[in-house]
């Protein structure tokens, strides 16, 4: 796995650190053997129209095998997702964990949920208005899904920071996205 040196968001940093802990559990003995190689370049990307978003999300989902979401404030257990407005995604959960950003107070933590890419997840993402359309809050649990990070073979190639309206794409995928809309 190639480490990405551009750590713009603490959420991204937490997701990457948490995903690192999952990789050995998923049968990988040495997931970081290429850590010392140069970092993969990332570019900012912002799909403007609904048409661009649909093309963008289809391209990203073509590569992704898993998607990690931050759940704010957090879930006590993954079963809570099944009783939320996102219950349709509960069968797609692979794993979950807790993370804390360095700059947050000790009592603030986030839950990171790793989903397998399946029909339900693809439909959910394609139903969004755009890549930052994650402001909906569950009225009972008070949780939100935010900051999707898209992974292929355990490596993040696209991540977003919803509240900062930032989307970063690996350079090779970004060039394909740009070709789609030029």
């Amino acid at each position: 796995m190639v480490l990405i040196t551009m750590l713009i968001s603490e959420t991204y940093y937490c997701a990457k650190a948490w995903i690192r802990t999952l990789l050995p559990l998923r049968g990988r003995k040495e997931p970081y053997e290429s850590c010392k190689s140069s970092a993969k370049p990332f570019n900012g990307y912002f799909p403007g129209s609904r048409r661009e978003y649909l093309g963008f999300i289809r391209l990203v989902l073509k590569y992704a095998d898993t998607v990690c979401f931050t759940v704010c404030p957090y879930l006590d257990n993954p079963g809570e997702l099944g009783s939320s407005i996102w219950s349709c995604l509960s069968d797609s959960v692979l794993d979950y964990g807790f993370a804390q950003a360095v700059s947050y107070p000790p009592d603030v933590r986030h839950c990171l949920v790793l989903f397998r890419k399946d029909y339900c997840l693809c439909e959910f993402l394609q139903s969004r208005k755009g890549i930052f359309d994650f402001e909906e809050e569950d009225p009972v649990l008070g949780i939100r899904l935010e900051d999707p990070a898209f992974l292929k073979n355990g490596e993040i190639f696209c991540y977003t920071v919803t509240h900062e309206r930032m989307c970063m794409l690996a350079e090779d995928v970004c060039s394909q996205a740009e070709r789609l809309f030029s």
Side-chain angles (χ1 to χ4, degrees):
M1 178 175 162
V2 178
L3 284 181
I4 301 159
T5 57
M6 192 164 129
L7 300 177
I8 294 175
S9 161
E10 290 140 353
T11 303
Y12 167 73
Y13 175 77
C14 289
K16 189 170 83 170
W18 177 70
I19 290 164
R20 280 187 193 164
T21 64
L22 291 181
L23 291 177
L25 300 176
R26 300 182 84 208
R28 299 172 201 263
K29 293 180 181 169
E30 303 242 359
Y32 309 107
E33 53 194 83
S34 62
C35 282
K36 296 188 192 286
S37 64
S38 62
K40 184 179 211 176
F42 272 64
N43 292 331
Y45 187 74
F46 185 82
S49 68
R50 170 83 174 136
R51 180 178 98 35
E52 279 188 23
Y53 169 70
L54 287 174
F56 163 79
I57 201 66
R58 287 182 187 125
L59 175 68
V60 168
L61 288 171
K62 183 172 100 175
Y63 287 98
D65 52 22
T66 53
V67 179
C68 180
F69 276 96
T70 303
V71 180
C72 295
Y74 64 89
L75 296 172
D76 289 320
N77 63 67
E80 286 183 330
L81 192 66
S83 61
S84 74
I85 58 176
W86 303 287
S87 61
C88 61
L89 298 176
S90 61
D91 288 339
S92 305
V93 173
L94 291 172
D95 205 350
Y96 81 107
F98 296 99
Q100 176 153 4
V102 176
S103 64
Y104 287 177
D107 60 337
V108 176
R109 62 183 182 162
H110 297 283
C111 181
L112 300 172
V113 180
L114 188 65
F115 295 93
R116 98 176 124 263
K117 181 185 83 175
D118 61 10
Y119 177 79
C120 290
L121 183 66
C122 292
E123 286 294 308
F124 169 73
L125 289 167
Q126 290 175 2
S127 72
R128 306 283 90 193
K129 294 176 190 161
I131 194 64
F132 307 115
D133 181 26
F134 296 99
E135 297 168 0
E136 188 176 19
E137 186 174 295
D138 183 274
V140 176
L141 297 175
I143 59 173
R144 293 178 317 283
L145 295 181
E146 296 181 346
D147 305 339
F150 299 85
L151 297 90
K152 176 73 173 179
N153 298 323
E155 183 177 333
I156 298 171
F157 69 89
C158 175
Y159 67 96
T160 66
V161 183
T162 307
H163 69 277
E164 293 175 13
R165 301 190 61 79
M166 182 181 74
C167 177
M168 300 301 286
L169 266 175
E171 195 172 67
D172 53 338
V173 181
C174 189
S175 63
Q176 289 184 37
E178 289 169 349
R179 279 194 300 265
L180 276 175
F181 308 113
S182 57

